[in-house]
Amino acid sequence: MEESSKKYISWPVLAMMAFVTVIGFEDIMYNFKNQGMGVITSWIIMMFLYVVPYALMVGQLGSVFNSEGGGLSSWIRGTNGEFLGYFTAWTYWAASIPYVVDSAQSVIVGFGWAFTGSSSFQNNMPNSIFTLLTFIVFIIFIFIQRHLSNSMEILSTIGGFAMFGMTVLFVFMSIVGLIKSGGHMATQPMNIHTLLPKFDLKYLTTIGLLIYAVNGAELVAPFVTQMRKPKVEFPKAMITLALMTTFLTIFGSFSLGIFFDANHLPNDLKMNGDYYAFQALGHQYGVGNVFMYIYAWTSVIYMCALLAVLLDAMTRMLISDTGEKYMPAFLRKKNADGLPINGYILTCTLSGFIMLLGVFLPEMNDIFNWLLNLNGIISPGVTCWIFYAFMRIRKNPEKYPSEYVFIKNDKFGYIAGLLLLVVTAAATLFGVAPQDVPAYSGTWWYELTINFIAIVILIGLGAILPLIRKREVEYGVAFNRKQWSIMIGTTLIAVIAMVWLGGTHLAIKIGLIITIGILAVLLLWLVGRKKPTNVKQES
């Protein structure tokens, strides 16, 4: 009776749930800017050699650890112990920081198009004002999410499906318009050579953003055990996901080639390209900016809802998932409403730090592109944990039984996980090289510098927090006020100095940046290693 009354998730529903989390119209636009029409070939390769095995590996991991909720950190904790589980939770959270900053910036860009119908709003805005507005958006959503988080989750789901609908609408109407116009395309010539990417160093630096566009299937892993026949139905759902994603990415990229000359793309295509596309579609059908306005407001609603949910969910996930052993008490502190206020402050602080790194870039468009490309570094890096966890369970299949198994032969399964780990790690490393700016120019070196600073701070802080927690247990408080003041001041001065040097044309700036970094770390170590005095007064 209990079995018959249980509610199951059908494989088509799970496929759609995964699809909404995996791909969006902006993902197609970003990669079209990077690779032009050659991205069509890249999408085909990615879908069958990466997305399908990746999604099926996620399914087995979700099945093995179904009693723990199927989260990424629980997979690593179950295969490698508590500390690595904590560190995975931290890196997954850290990877969300550039994403939420990018979402906040997209809210501002969306409002600009929704109210003005053009890119003039952001084109005339100084970088400092853009950064300030982005930070204000953060503050607003930190305050409102506590009251609207549930409704925002509903809105984000509706917005996600609406965005999917707008993408399908664009593809369908673009191809219908192409047929009506006699096959005229902006991209010329249109032949087999146009569809092949140029496999060079620049291409390798763009793979990370392709992976960033298609990852996210791990979010549906907990639902594997809620299917009636997971062995049969989960592969169906993931193959359907791959087919839908393949269809949308290939035909979406082809549709963009109808309106944009892939050989001469606008410099601000990543920031404004989706609005340009719907504007061009409206003009083709003689309805002006109607499609663009519909898309702009859809994007604003979706991004606002997504931002509110992300800010709340990512902070709660980090604080609740790591427990008392590694997370300092001051970060776990909650107010009367049960909200981790200091956790929110940490999220806002690191988001502000990321925005500060980009404020000295030449244009607002450069800030948007750099932040997006930073996602293409950090997000694939975190995805490496998935393949590492999969390799661990395939190495010890008796210890990790699963109702669903991807590749029955354990050796082949292990090799498949290793290959995807190597590819993803390589994409992460190559992604560190700046894109969208002339190679080895002043801006290129500046972006390279802030890429390293962002990665070191976001990931490195996760290794420091357990040490702070250890001092709390030993002394009652981690540091006294004087120590906190010196360490925070040193960090701020060092970061601002390194960011400023990154924007200069000094021949020795790299050496100076390294020197400042070493001196700052040394001072932090000297101050932080001392036993905090006046513990009773400070606590």
Side-chain angles (χ1 to χ4, degrees):
M1 179 68 182
E2 188 176 324
E3 180 69 21
S4 61
S5 63
K6 180 180 177 181
K7 290 185 178 180
Y8 293 99
I9 294 179
S10 66
W11 65 263
V13 171
L14 188 69
M16 183 58 71
M17 288 168 61
F19 182 82
V20 172
T21 64
V22 166
I23 199 77
F25 187 65
E26 67 279 3
D27 294 315
I28 300 171
M29 183 65 68
Y30 301 153
N31 289 286
F32 183 77
K33 176 66 170 74
N34 280 344
Q35 299 184 16
M37 294 299 286
V39 77
I40 291 177
T41 301
S42 296
W43 284 126
I44 294 172
I45 295 172
M46 282 289 296
M47 289 309 121
F48 294 102
L49 297 184
Y50 192 92
V51 175
V52 171
Y54 156 66
L56 296 177
M57 288 177 191
V58 162
Q60 183 169 349
L61 285 163
S63 181
V64 169
F65 299 104
N66 62 82
S67 61
E68 299 179 49
L72 177 58
S73 59
S74 69
W75 302 344
I76 297 295
R77 186 182 295 110
T79 55
N80 294 274
E82 283 294 326
F83 177 75
L84 214 53
Y86 150 76
F87 197 67
T88 302
W90 174 267
T91 53
Y92 199 84
W93 177 85
S96 302
I97 293 288
Y99 183 41
V100 295
V101 177
D102 182 41
S103 299
Q105 290 186 346
S106 296
V107 169
I108 296 171
V109 173
F111 271 122
W113 278 92
F115 284 116
T116 68
S118 71
S119 61
S120 59
F121 177 75
Q122 52 264 30
N123 289 344
N124 299 322
M125 185 185 298
N127 289 357
S128 56
I129 300 298
F130 182 51
T131 302
L132 179 62
L133 285 176
T134 304
F135 196 70
I136 289 172
V137 167
F138 266 101
I139 301 301
I140 291 172
F141 277 93
I142 284 291
F143 278 105
I144 69 171
Q145 64 78 27
R146 59 179 290 187
H147 301 293
L148 300 175
S149 58
N150 290 335
S151 58
M152 283 295 180
E153 288 175 17
I154 296 170
L155 283 176
S156 63
T157 304
I158 294 172
F161 280 99
M163 287 290 283
F164 166 64
M166 291 297 292
T167 306
V168 172
L169 176 71
F170 177 80
V171 171
F172 176 75
M173 295 190 72
S174 297
I175 294 175
V176 170
L178 178 67
I179 296 171
K180 286 185 176 181
S181 67
H184 175 73
M185 294 186 65
T187 300
Q188 294 295 332
M190 179 54 66
N191 52 42
I192 189 64
H193 299 292
T194 307
L195 300 177
L196 294 176
K198 188 178 180 182
F199 296 102
D200 54 11
L201 181 60
K202 184 179 184 302
Y203 178 84
L204 293 175
T205 66
T206 64
I207 294 176
L209 206 58
L210 281 169
I211 293 174
Y212 166 66
V214 297
N215 65 10
E218 67 272 10
L219 297 175
V220 300
F223 299 103
V224 174
T225 54
Q226 295 183 31
M227 306 184 81
R228 189 178 295 275
K229 297 178 180 178
K231 287 184 180 180
V232 177
E233 294 182 337
F234 188 78
K236 281 184 181 180
M238 292 302 101
I239 291 170
T240 302
L241 164 67
L243 291 175
M244 290 171 66
T245 306
T246 302
F247 170 82
L248 211 58
T249 51
I250 291 175
F251 285 96
S253 301
F254 179 80
S255 298
L256 291 175
I258 297 173
F259 299 108
F260 300 101
D261 181 358
N263 304 304
H264 304 283
L265 293 170
N267 187 47
D268 63 342
L269 193 73
K270 287 183 178 178
M271 183 168 67
N272 295 312
D274 40 355
Y275 300 99
Y276 290 150
F278 278 97
Q279 199 171 46
L281 182 68
H283 291 163
Q284 184 185 54
Y285 280 87
V287 294
N289 286 337
V290 170
F291 292 137
M292 184 277 295
Y293 280 118
I294 294 173
Y295 176 80
W297 283 110
T298 299
S299 180
V300 165
I301 293 170
Y302 174 63
M303 285 298 175
C304 284
L306 180 64
L307 183 59
V309 172
L310 278 174
L311 283 171
D312 185 46
M314 63 185 282
T315 304
R316 287 176 183 268
M317 179 199 75
L318 177 68
I319 304 304
S320 62
D321 194 44
T322 52
E324 298 183 5
K325 191 173 182 181
Y326 301 110
M327 186 61 61
F330 70 89
L331 284 178
R332 289 184 282 110
K333 184 180 179 181
K334 296 180 181 180
N335 67 2
D337 297 320
L339 299 175
I341 296 301
N342 290 336
Y344 290 145
I345 293 173
L346 177 65
T347 301
C348 272
T349 301
L350 288 180
S351 299
F353 161 73
I354 292 294
M355 287 183 275
L356 173 66
L357 292 180
V359 76
F360 293 112
L361 286 167
E363 299 176 2
M364 178 174 156
N365 183 57
D366 294 313
I367 298 176
F368 190 94
N369 289 345
W370 166 71
L371 188 62
L372 177 64
N373 294 331
L374 183 62
N375 280 301
I377 303 169
I378 296 180
S379 182
V382 174
T383 303
C384 289
W385 288 117
I386 295 173
F387 305 125
Y388 179 65
F390 181 77
M391 290 164 60
R392 296 284 293 182
I393 66 171
R394 298 314 295 262
K395 195 172 183 179
N396 300 284
E398 298 82 10
K399 187 178 178 181
Y400 303 105
S402 171
E403 188 174 355
Y404 164 73
V405 178
F406 169 61
I407 302 180
K408 291 183 179 179
N409 186 290
D410 290 313
K411 283 188 177 180
F412 287 145
Y414 184 90
I415 292 171
L418 177 61
L419 288 174
L420 289 194
L421 175 64
V422 170
V423 168
T424 309
T428 302
L429 293 174
F430 280 114
V432 175
Q435 305 167 30
D436 305 305
V437 294
Y440 311 115
S441 62
T443 304
W444 189 92
W445 284 108
Y446 175 67
E447 288 194 6
L448 183 66
T449 301
I450 59 179
N451 278 347
F452 277 112
I453 293 174
I455 293 168
V456 168
I457 296 295
L458 287 176
I459 305 302
L461 188 58
I464 294 172
L465 289 179
L467 300 178
I468 295 176
R469 175 57 184 158
K470 186 178 179 181
R471 288 175 63 88
E472 284 183 341
V473 173
E474 187 174 356
Y475 302 125
V477 296
F479 308 104
N480 59 34
R481 286 193 178 90
K482 184 178 179 181
Q483 287 175 304
W484 275 119
S485 299
I486 294 173
M487 290 190 295
I488 292 172
T490 299
T491 303
L492 287 174
I493 292 170
V495 167
I496 291 171
M498 288 189 289
V499 170
W500 177 79
L501 280 169
T504 67
H505 299 286
L506 294 174
I508 58 170
K509 66 180 178 182
I510 300 298
L512 289 173
I513 288 170
I514 293 172
T515 302
I516 290 173
I518 293 173
L519 290 175
V521 170
L522 181 60
L523 181 58
L524 290 172
W525 177 72
L526 289 173
V527 174
R529 68 192 291 265
K530 292 183 178 181
K531 178 180 177 179
T533 56
N534 302 321
V535 171
K536 289 183 180 179
Q537 290 89 329
E538 295 298 331
S539 59

